[in-house]
Amino acid sequence: MLAALLQDLGSVAGTLALLQQETDPTANPEPIGILRFFIGALLILTIYGGAWLFTYWISKDE
């Protein structure tokens, strides 16, 4: 009886794995994903620009 139950659970897990493979997360991105991308890009540019300005400020002669 336990073996039959485990076999049924295995087939359910296999079916769920196949269903998850059919959905492609990059096919139609959600708006929150697009927003996170642009926020991340802005954060990287801000950090890069801040490091560049700090380097300029620390190296200038007064």
PDB file of all heavy atoms in Angstrom, residues 16-42:
ATOM      1  N   LEU A  16       3.684  17.677 -12.311  1.00  0.00           N
ATOM      2  CA  LEU A  16       3.892  19.075 -11.930  1.00  0.00           C
ATOM      3  C   LEU A  16       5.184  19.625 -12.538  1.00  0.00           C
ATOM      4  O   LEU A  16       5.241  20.781 -12.962  1.00  0.00           O
ATOM      5  CB  LEU A  16       3.919  19.208 -10.406  1.00  0.00           C
ATOM      6  CG  LEU A  16       2.583  19.040  -9.697  1.00  0.00           C
ATOM      7  CD1 LEU A  16       2.785  19.086  -8.192  1.00  0.00           C
ATOM      8  CD2 LEU A  16       1.602  20.099 -10.139  1.00  0.00           C
ATOM      9  N   ALA A  17       6.219  18.803 -12.592  1.00  0.00           N
ATOM     10  CA  ALA A  17       7.476  19.250 -13.184  1.00  0.00           C
ATOM     11  C   ALA A  17       7.285  19.550 -14.668  1.00  0.00           C
ATOM     12  O   ALA A  17       7.821  20.536 -15.191  1.00  0.00           O
ATOM     13  CB  ALA A  17       8.559  18.201 -12.982  1.00  0.00           C
ATOM     14  N   LEU A  18       6.512  18.727 -15.364  1.00  0.00           N
ATOM     15  CA  LEU A  18       6.254  18.978 -16.776  1.00  0.00           C
ATOM     16  C   LEU A  18       5.434  20.246 -16.971  1.00  0.00           C
ATOM     17  O   LEU A  18       5.653  21.001 -17.917  1.00  0.00           O
ATOM     18  CB  LEU A  18       5.529  17.782 -17.407  1.00  0.00           C
ATOM     19  CG  LEU A  18       6.378  16.530 -17.612  1.00  0.00           C
ATOM     20  CD1 LEU A  18       5.506  15.389 -18.111  1.00  0.00           C
ATOM     21  CD2 LEU A  18       7.508  16.801 -18.577  1.00  0.00           C
ATOM     22  N   LEU A  19       4.469  20.480 -16.094  1.00  0.00           N
ATOM     23  CA  LEU A  19       3.658  21.691 -16.201  1.00  0.00           C
ATOM     24  C   LEU A  19       4.499  22.937 -15.954  1.00  0.00           C
ATOM     25  O   LEU A  19       4.292  23.970 -16.595  1.00  0.00           O
ATOM     26  CB  LEU A  19       2.496  21.645 -15.211  1.00  0.00           C
ATOM     27  CG  LEU A  19       1.366  20.682 -15.553  1.00  0.00           C
ATOM     28  CD1 LEU A  19       0.353  20.635 -14.425  1.00  0.00           C
ATOM     29  CD2 LEU A  19       0.714  21.082 -16.856  1.00  0.00           C
ATOM     30  N   GLN A  20       5.450  22.872 -15.037  1.00  0.00           N
ATOM     31  CA  GLN A  20       6.296  24.029 -14.759  1.00  0.00           C
ATOM     32  C   GLN A  20       7.236  24.315 -15.922  1.00  0.00           C
ATOM     33  O   GLN A  20       7.579  25.456 -16.166  1.00  0.00           O
ATOM     34  CB  GLN A  20       7.093  23.802 -13.486  1.00  0.00           C
ATOM     35  CG  GLN A  20       6.271  23.939 -12.234  1.00  0.00           C
ATOM     36  CD  GLN A  20       7.087  23.723 -10.978  1.00  0.00           C
ATOM     37  OE1 GLN A  20       8.182  23.170 -11.037  1.00  0.00           O
ATOM     38  NE2 GLN A  20       6.566  24.150  -9.849  1.00  0.00           N
ATOM     39  N   GLN A  21       7.642  23.291 -16.655  1.00  0.00           N
ATOM     40  CA  GLN A  21       8.531  23.500 -17.783  1.00  0.00           C
ATOM     41  C   GLN A  21       7.824  24.196 -18.934  1.00  0.00           C
ATOM     42  O   GLN A  21       8.441  24.874 -19.731  1.00  0.00           O
ATOM     43  CB  GLN A  21       9.105  22.171 -18.260  1.00  0.00           C
ATOM     44  CG  GLN A  21      10.148  21.592 -17.337  1.00  0.00           C
ATOM     45  CD  GLN A  21      10.649  20.244 -17.821  1.00  0.00           C
ATOM     46  OE1 GLN A  21      10.115  19.695 -18.765  1.00  0.00           O
ATOM     47  NE2 GLN A  21      11.663  19.734 -17.161  1.00  0.00           N
ATOM     48  N   GLU A  22       6.512  24.015 -19.029  1.00  0.00           N
ATOM     49  CA  GLU A  22       5.768  24.622 -20.126  1.00  0.00           C
ATOM     50  C   GLU A  22       5.686  26.135 -19.991  1.00  0.00           C
ATOM     51  O   GLU A  22       5.609  26.833 -20.992  1.00  0.00           O
ATOM     52  CB  GLU A  22       4.361  24.029 -20.194  1.00  0.00           C
ATOM     53  CG  GLU A  22       4.332  22.596 -20.680  1.00  0.00           C
ATOM     54  CD  GLU A  22       2.922  22.048 -20.728  1.00  0.00           C
ATOM     55  OE1 GLU A  22       1.970  22.833 -20.525  1.00  0.00           O
ATOM     56  OE2 GLU A  22       2.762  20.848 -20.956  1.00  0.00           O
ATOM     57  N   THR A  23       5.677  26.651 -18.791  1.00  0.00           N
ATOM     58  CA  THR A  23       5.593  28.098 -18.600  1.00  0.00           C
ATOM     59  C   THR A  23       6.989  28.690 -18.642  1.00  0.00           C
ATOM     60  O   THR A  23       7.869  28.301 -17.886  1.00  0.00           O
ATOM     61  CB  THR A  23       4.919  28.439 -17.260  1.00  0.00           C
ATOM     62  OG1 THR A  23       5.670  27.856 -16.210  1.00  0.00           O
ATOM     63  CG2 THR A  23       3.502  27.914 -17.224  1.00  0.00           C
ATOM     64  N   ASP A  24       7.198  29.620 -19.536  1.00  0.00           N
ATOM     65  CA  ASP A  24       8.494  30.276 -19.695  1.00  0.00           C
ATOM     66  C   ASP A  24       8.423  31.636 -19.012  1.00  0.00           C
ATOM     67  O   ASP A  24       7.658  32.506 -19.437  1.00  0.00           O
ATOM     68  CB  ASP A  24       8.814  30.436 -21.179  1.00  0.00           C
ATOM     69  CG  ASP A  24      10.189  30.996 -21.414  1.00  0.00           C
ATOM     70  OD1 ASP A  24      10.992  31.022 -20.469  1.00  0.00           O
ATOM     71  OD2 ASP A  24      10.470  31.403 -22.561  1.00  0.00           O
ATOM     72  N   PRO A  25       9.198  31.858 -17.950  1.00  0.00           N
ATOM     73  CA  PRO A  25       9.090  33.122 -17.218  1.00  0.00           C
ATOM     74  C   PRO A  25       9.556  34.333 -18.021  1.00  0.00           C
ATOM     75  O   PRO A  25       9.218  35.452 -17.708  1.00  0.00           O
ATOM     76  CB  PRO A  25       9.976  32.908 -15.994  1.00  0.00           C
ATOM     77  CG  PRO A  25      10.892  31.814 -16.376  1.00  0.00           C
ATOM     78  CD  PRO A  25      10.167  30.958 -17.371  1.00  0.00           C
ATOM     79  N   THR A  26      10.332  34.101 -19.088  1.00  0.00           N
ATOM     80  CA  THR A  26      10.804  35.238 -19.884  1.00  0.00           C
ATOM     81  C   THR A  26       9.880  35.541 -21.058  1.00  0.00           C
ATOM     82  O   THR A  26      10.124  36.491 -21.800  1.00  0.00           O
ATOM     83  CB  THR A  26      12.223  34.969 -20.410  1.00  0.00           C
ATOM     84  OG1 THR A  26      12.190  33.789 -21.219  1.00  0.00           O
ATOM     85  CG2 THR A  26      13.192  34.776 -19.267  1.00  0.00           C
ATOM     86  N   ALA A  27       8.843  34.738 -21.257  1.00  0.00           N
ATOM     87  CA  ALA A  27       7.968  34.938 -22.406  1.00  0.00           C
ATOM     88  C   ALA A  27       7.150  36.218 -22.279  1.00  0.00           C
ATOM     89  O   ALA A  27       7.017  36.969 -23.236  1.00  0.00           O
ATOM     90  CB  ALA A  27       7.046  33.740 -22.563  1.00  0.00           C
ATOM     91  N   ASN A  28       6.612  36.480 -21.106  1.00  0.00           N
ATOM     92  CA  ASN A  28       5.772  37.660 -20.902  1.00  0.00           C
ATOM     93  C   ASN A  28       6.078  38.204 -19.512  1.00  0.00           C
ATOM     94  O   ASN A  28       5.413  37.851 -18.542  1.00  0.00           O
ATOM     95  CB  ASN A  28       4.292  37.281 -21.029  1.00  0.00           C
ATOM     96  CG  ASN A  28       3.413  38.497 -21.061  1.00  0.00           C
ATOM     97  OD1 ASN A  28       3.897  39.615 -21.210  1.00  0.00           O
ATOM     98  ND2 ASN A  28       2.114  38.291 -20.920  1.00  0.00           N
ATOM     99  N   PRO A  29       7.069  39.084 -19.402  1.00  0.00           N
ATOM    100  CA  PRO A  29       7.460  39.556 -18.070  1.00  0.00           C
ATOM    101  C   PRO A  29       6.353  40.368 -17.401  1.00  0.00           C
ATOM    102  O   PRO A  29       5.613  41.097 -18.066  1.00  0.00           O
ATOM    103  CB  PRO A  29       8.688  40.415 -18.329  1.00  0.00           C
ATOM    104  CG  PRO A  29       8.569  40.828 -19.750  1.00  0.00           C
ATOM    105  CD  PRO A  29       7.840  39.719 -20.452  1.00  0.00           C
ATOM    106  N   GLU A  30       6.278  40.229 -16.104  1.00  0.00           N
ATOM    107  CA  GLU A  30       5.281  40.985 -15.351  1.00  0.00           C
ATOM    108  C   GLU A  30       5.788  42.405 -15.137  1.00  0.00           C
ATOM    109  O   GLU A  30       6.993  42.658 -15.168  1.00  0.00           O
ATOM    110  CB  GLU A  30       5.041  40.307 -14.009  1.00  0.00           C
ATOM    111  CG  GLU A  30       4.445  38.927 -14.137  1.00  0.00           C
ATOM    112  CD  GLU A  30       4.215  38.274 -12.791  1.00  0.00           C
ATOM    113  OE1 GLU A  30       4.354  38.966 -11.769  1.00  0.00           O
ATOM    114  OE2 GLU A  30       3.904  37.084 -12.768  1.00  0.00           O
ATOM    115  N   PRO A  31       4.901  43.355 -14.917  1.00  0.00           N
ATOM    116  CA  PRO A  31       5.331  44.742 -14.707  1.00  0.00           C
ATOM    117  C   PRO A  31       6.293  44.916 -13.535  1.00  0.00           C
ATOM    118  O   PRO A  31       7.184  45.755 -13.596  1.00  0.00           O
ATOM    119  CB  PRO A  31       4.024  45.480 -14.452  1.00  0.00           C
ATOM    120  CG  PRO A  31       2.983  44.659 -15.131  1.00  0.00           C
ATOM    121  CD  PRO A  31       3.455  43.233 -15.003  1.00  0.00           C
ATOM    122  N   ILE A  32       6.149  44.120 -12.484  1.00  0.00           N
ATOM    123  CA  ILE A  32       7.046  44.270 -11.334  1.00  0.00           C
ATOM    124  C   ILE A  32       8.465  43.858 -11.725  1.00  0.00           C
ATOM    125  O   ILE A  32       9.438  44.438 -11.243  1.00  0.00           O
ATOM    126  CB  ILE A  32       6.536  43.470 -10.113  1.00  0.00           C
ATOM    127  CG1 ILE A  32       7.327  43.813  -8.858  1.00  0.00           C
ATOM    128  CG2 ILE A  32       6.579  41.984 -10.376  1.00  0.00           C
ATOM    129  CD1 ILE A  32       7.128  45.219  -8.361  1.00  0.00           C
ATOM    130  N   GLY A  33       8.603  42.889 -12.628  1.00  0.00           N
ATOM    131  CA  GLY A  33       9.922  42.479 -13.089  1.00  0.00           C
ATOM    132  C   GLY A  33      10.596  43.574 -13.897  1.00  0.00           C
ATOM    133  O   GLY A  33      11.805  43.808 -13.762  1.00  0.00           O
ATOM    134  N   ILE A  34       9.826  44.246 -14.731  1.00  0.00           N
ATOM    135  CA  ILE A  34      10.374  45.350 -15.526  1.00  0.00           C
ATOM    136  C   ILE A  34      10.770  46.494 -14.601  1.00  0.00           C
ATOM    137  O   ILE A  34      11.833  47.104 -14.768  1.00  0.00           O
ATOM    138  CB  ILE A  34       9.340  45.799 -16.576  1.00  0.00           C
ATOM    139  CG1 ILE A  34       9.075  44.655 -17.557  1.00  0.00           C
ATOM    140  CG2 ILE A  34       9.819  47.039 -17.314  1.00  0.00           C
ATOM    141  CD1 ILE A  34       7.916  44.884 -18.488  1.00  0.00           C
ATOM    142  N   LEU A  35       9.945  46.785 -13.617  1.00  0.00           N
ATOM    143  CA  LEU A  35      10.252  47.845 -12.654  1.00  0.00           C
ATOM    144  C   LEU A  35      11.517  47.513 -11.870  1.00  0.00           C
ATOM    145  O   LEU A  35      12.383  48.374 -11.678  1.00  0.00           O
ATOM    146  CB  LEU A  35       9.071  48.032 -11.698  1.00  0.00           C
ATOM    147  CG  LEU A  35       9.229  49.113 -10.628  1.00  0.00           C
ATOM    148  CD1 LEU A  35       9.321  50.489 -11.285  1.00  0.00           C
ATOM    149  CD2 LEU A  35       8.089  49.057  -9.654  1.00  0.00           C
ATOM    150  N   ARG A  36      11.656  46.265 -11.420  1.00  0.00           N
ATOM    151  CA  ARG A  36      12.856  45.858 -10.691  1.00  0.00           C
ATOM    152  C   ARG A  36      14.100  45.987 -11.561  1.00  0.00           C
ATOM    153  O   ARG A  36      15.162  46.355 -11.069  1.00  0.00           O
ATOM    154  CB  ARG A  36      12.723  44.415 -10.219  1.00  0.00           C
ATOM    155  CG  ARG A  36      11.792  44.245  -9.055  1.00  0.00           C
ATOM    156  CD  ARG A  36      11.694  42.789  -8.686  1.00  0.00           C
ATOM    157  NE  ARG A  36      10.796  42.595  -7.559  1.00  0.00           N
ATOM    158  CZ  ARG A  36      10.388  41.422  -7.151  1.00  0.00           C
ATOM    159  NH1 ARG A  36      10.769  40.331  -7.770  1.00  0.00           N
ATOM    160  NH2 ARG A  36       9.580  41.328  -6.118  1.00  0.00           N
ATOM    161  N   PHE A  37      13.983  45.673 -12.852  1.00  0.00           N
ATOM    162  CA  PHE A  37      15.120  45.802 -13.760  1.00  0.00           C
ATOM    163  C   PHE A  37      15.593  47.252 -13.827  1.00  0.00           C
ATOM    164  O   PHE A  37      16.782  47.537 -13.691  1.00  0.00           O
ATOM    165  CB  PHE A  37      14.740  45.312 -15.163  1.00  0.00           C
ATOM    166  CG  PHE A  37      15.783  45.619 -16.198  1.00  0.00           C
ATOM    167  CD1 PHE A  37      16.917  44.836 -16.282  1.00  0.00           C
ATOM    168  CD2 PHE A  37      15.636  46.690 -17.059  1.00  0.00           C
ATOM    169  CE1 PHE A  37      17.897  45.113 -17.221  1.00  0.00           C
ATOM    170  CE2 PHE A  37      16.603  46.980 -18.000  1.00  0.00           C
ATOM    171  CZ  PHE A  37      17.737  46.181 -18.083  1.00  0.00           C
ATOM    172  N   PHE A  38      14.667  48.184 -14.031  1.00  0.00           N
ATOM    173  CA  PHE A  38      15.058  49.584 -14.158  1.00  0.00           C
ATOM    174  C   PHE A  38      15.538  50.167 -12.832  1.00  0.00           C
ATOM    175  O   PHE A  38      16.454  50.995 -12.806  1.00  0.00           O
ATOM    176  CB  PHE A  38      13.913  50.415 -14.744  1.00  0.00           C
ATOM    177  CG  PHE A  38      13.754  50.208 -16.223  1.00  0.00           C
ATOM    178  CD1 PHE A  38      12.662  49.527 -16.720  1.00  0.00           C
ATOM    179  CD2 PHE A  38      14.714  50.657 -17.108  1.00  0.00           C
ATOM    180  CE1 PHE A  38      12.525  49.321 -18.083  1.00  0.00           C
ATOM    181  CE2 PHE A  38      14.583  50.457 -18.472  1.00  0.00           C
ATOM    182  CZ  PHE A  38      13.484  49.780 -18.962  1.00  0.00           C
ATOM    183  N   ILE A  39      14.953  49.745 -11.725  1.00  0.00           N
ATOM    184  CA  ILE A  39      15.438  50.200 -10.420  1.00  0.00           C
ATOM    185  C   ILE A  39      16.847  49.673 -10.180  1.00  0.00           C
ATOM    186  O   ILE A  39      17.716  50.402  -9.698  1.00  0.00           O
ATOM    187  CB  ILE A  39      14.469  49.771  -9.300  1.00  0.00           C
ATOM    188  CG1 ILE A  39      13.182  50.583  -9.380  1.00  0.00           C
ATOM    189  CG2 ILE A  39      15.114  49.922  -7.937  1.00  0.00           C
ATOM    190  CD1 ILE A  39      12.115  50.141  -8.424  1.00  0.00           C
ATOM    191  N   GLY A  40      17.097  48.429 -10.532  1.00  0.00           N
ATOM    192  CA  GLY A  40      18.435  47.860 -10.392  1.00  0.00           C
ATOM    193  C   GLY A  40      19.452  48.569 -11.268  1.00  0.00           C
ATOM    194  O   GLY A  40      20.572  48.856 -10.838  1.00  0.00           O
ATOM    195  N   ALA A  41      19.067  48.850 -12.518  1.00  0.00           N
ATOM    196  CA  ALA A  41      19.971  49.560 -13.429  1.00  0.00           C
ATOM    197  C   ALA A  41      20.268  50.959 -12.887  1.00  0.00           C
ATOM    198  O   ALA A  41      21.419  51.419 -12.933  1.00  0.00           O
ATOM    199  CB  ALA A  41      19.353  49.639 -14.821  1.00  0.00           C
ATOM    200  N   LEU A  42      19.255  51.647 -12.378  1.00  0.00           N
ATOM    201  CA  LEU A  42      19.454  52.981 -11.811  1.00  0.00           C
ATOM    202  C   LEU A  42      20.354  52.915 -10.580  1.00  0.00           C
ATOM    203  O   LEU A  42      21.222  53.782 -10.393  1.00  0.00           O
ATOM    204  CB  LEU A  42      18.103  53.605 -11.447  1.00  0.00           C
ATOM    205  CG  LEU A  42      18.146  55.021 -10.871  1.00  0.00           C
ATOM    206  CD1 LEU A  42      18.677  55.999 -11.912  1.00  0.00           C
ATOM    207  CD2 LEU A  42      16.765  55.436 -10.416  1.00  0.00           C
TER     208      LEU A  42
END
